[in-house]
Amino acid sequence: VLSSIDAVVRSPRAPPLIYKHSKAPVQNCVKENGQECGFEHLLPTIEMWADQLMAVKDLHRSLRKLSLEVVPWHITNAQDDREAIRVEDLQFIVDAMLEEMENKEKSSQSPSLQTLLAIVSHFQKLFDVTSLHGVYPRMNEVYTKLGEMTNAMRNLHELLELDTSAPPTVVVDTVGKLCDIINENVTERVQQLLGTQDIHSIMDKLEEYECFFPPFQALIQELLCLLEISNLDDILPAVKNLK
């Protein structure tokens, strides 16, 4: 038996902790061939191994619980308490969790479902969309309106000779100033046409025209009917022919 044990512990695969050279007197531990034995630490080592095997089972249960949280879709067969736990089983669980963590790091830039729901809800509030079915039509409408506004602003920048970086407020102010200039020019032209610079004189002129033009228009209409013509330019030649 000692020979068999000696062959095992001296194997290259055996942990060095099993076999230690004995420091006790030779007579206390002698092999069959009379050589000293080195098995003083064999029993404590085996006991330590037994404790470690029990700890491996506890570690396996903990890893399984952690795996259910990290990779719940990863199905592992339930381990029978009587079945020996292998290091490969533990490594398999750890590798699965590590792979999932690496995938999460790679896709960390992708928004979560909760973030996407918050974005859709915010869009509904901003653009008064009452249902999810109305989100896409309103998006298309907003996109179309935005395109029209962008084109209009670009055309205004070109017409007003403004820099493309000018904000909308500058465009509005420039259009307002242009309208003021146009209104001033129109007022001046009206004053020149009526031959007066006084508003009261303008009102008097308009009253005179209102008194004069209706009778004049009625007279012209009667002349056209009497002379049986339809053009104002033909009135004078027709009157001359009556002489």
Side-chain angles (χ1 to χ4, degrees), residues 3-229:
S3 300
S4 300
I5 294 175
D6 185 61
V8 171
V9 299
R10 291 178 181 274
S11 170
R13 299 180 58 186
L17 184 62
I18 296 180
Y19 180 81
K20 290 186 178 180
H21 190 74
S22 176
K23 297 181 180 179
V26 178
Q27 61 272 15
N28 293 336
C29 184
V30 180
K31 286 187 178 182
E32 294 177 353
N33 56 4
Q35 298 179 356
E36 62 176 322
C37 63
F39 306 126
E40 294 88 349
H41 299 280
L42 182 59
L43 182 59
T45 301
I46 294 176
E47 292 176 349
M48 182 268 292
W49 281 3
D51 294 337
Q52 291 298 309
L53 288 176
M54 293 301 298
V56 166
K57 288 186 178 182
D58 295 336
L59 177 61
H60 183 259
R61 283 192 293 268
S62 300
L63 287 176
R64 280 181 55 83
K65 292 180 180 179
L66 181 61
S67 176
L68 292 176
E69 296 293 334
V70 178
V71 283
W73 56 87
H74 186 75
I75 301 175
T76 56
N77 295 328
Q79 197 81 19
D80 192 347
D81 292 337
R82 294 172 297 177
E83 186 179 351
I85 304 298
R86 299 176 302 175
V87 176
E88 290 83 353
D89 299 330
L90 306 180
Q91 189 64 46
F92 179 75
I93 298 175
V94 172
D95 289 343
M97 291 188 290
L98 288 176
E99 183 179 359
E100 175 61 20
M101 296 303 297
E102 291 176 357
N103 293 335
K104 284 186 176 180
E105 290 179 359
K106 292 179 181 178
S107 61
S108 59
Q109 300 299 325
S110 301
S112 62
L113 177 60
Q114 185 177 2
T115 302
L116 295 176
L117 290 175
I119 293 174
V120 173
S121 177
H122 187 61
F123 180 88
Q124 289 182 263
K125 292 179 180 178
L126 288 178
F127 298 100
D128 193 24
V129 182
T130 57
S131 65
L132 291 177
H133 297 288
V135 170
Y136 280 112
R138 186 57 57 87
M139 281 184 175
N140 295 333
E141 181 181 352
V142 171
Y143 177 79
T144 302
K145 295 295 183 183
L146 179 61
E148 294 175 355
M149 185 190 70
T150 302
N151 292 333
M153 291 298 295
R154 183 170 55 250
N155 293 333
L156 286 174
H157 279 91
E158 294 178 357
L159 291 174
L160 299 174
E161 297 182 354
L162 295 174
D163 188 80
T164 55
S165 61
T169 53
V170 175
V171 176
V172 173
D173 292 340
T174 305
V175 172
K177 293 177 181 178
L178 184 60
C179 290
D180 293 338
I181 294 174
I182 293 175
N183 291 333
E184 291 177 359
N185 291 336
V186 169
T187 303
E188 292 178 358
R189 289 182 180 276
V190 170
Q191 291 175 350
Q192 293 174 0
L193 178 63
L194 299 177
T196 179
Q197 303 295 325
D198 186 5
I199 186 63
H200 294 290
S201 299
I202 294 174
M203 294 175 64
D204 294 338
K205 291 285 186 181
L206 291 175
E207 289 178 358
E208 291 176 2
Y209 291 149
E210 287 180 357
C211 294
F212 172 75
F213 276 106
F216 177 75
Q217 183 180 9
L219 175 62
I220 295 299
Q221 291 295 334
E222 289 181 4
L223 286 174
L224 293 175
C225 291
L226 290 173
L227 299 174
E228 296 181 354
I229 56 178

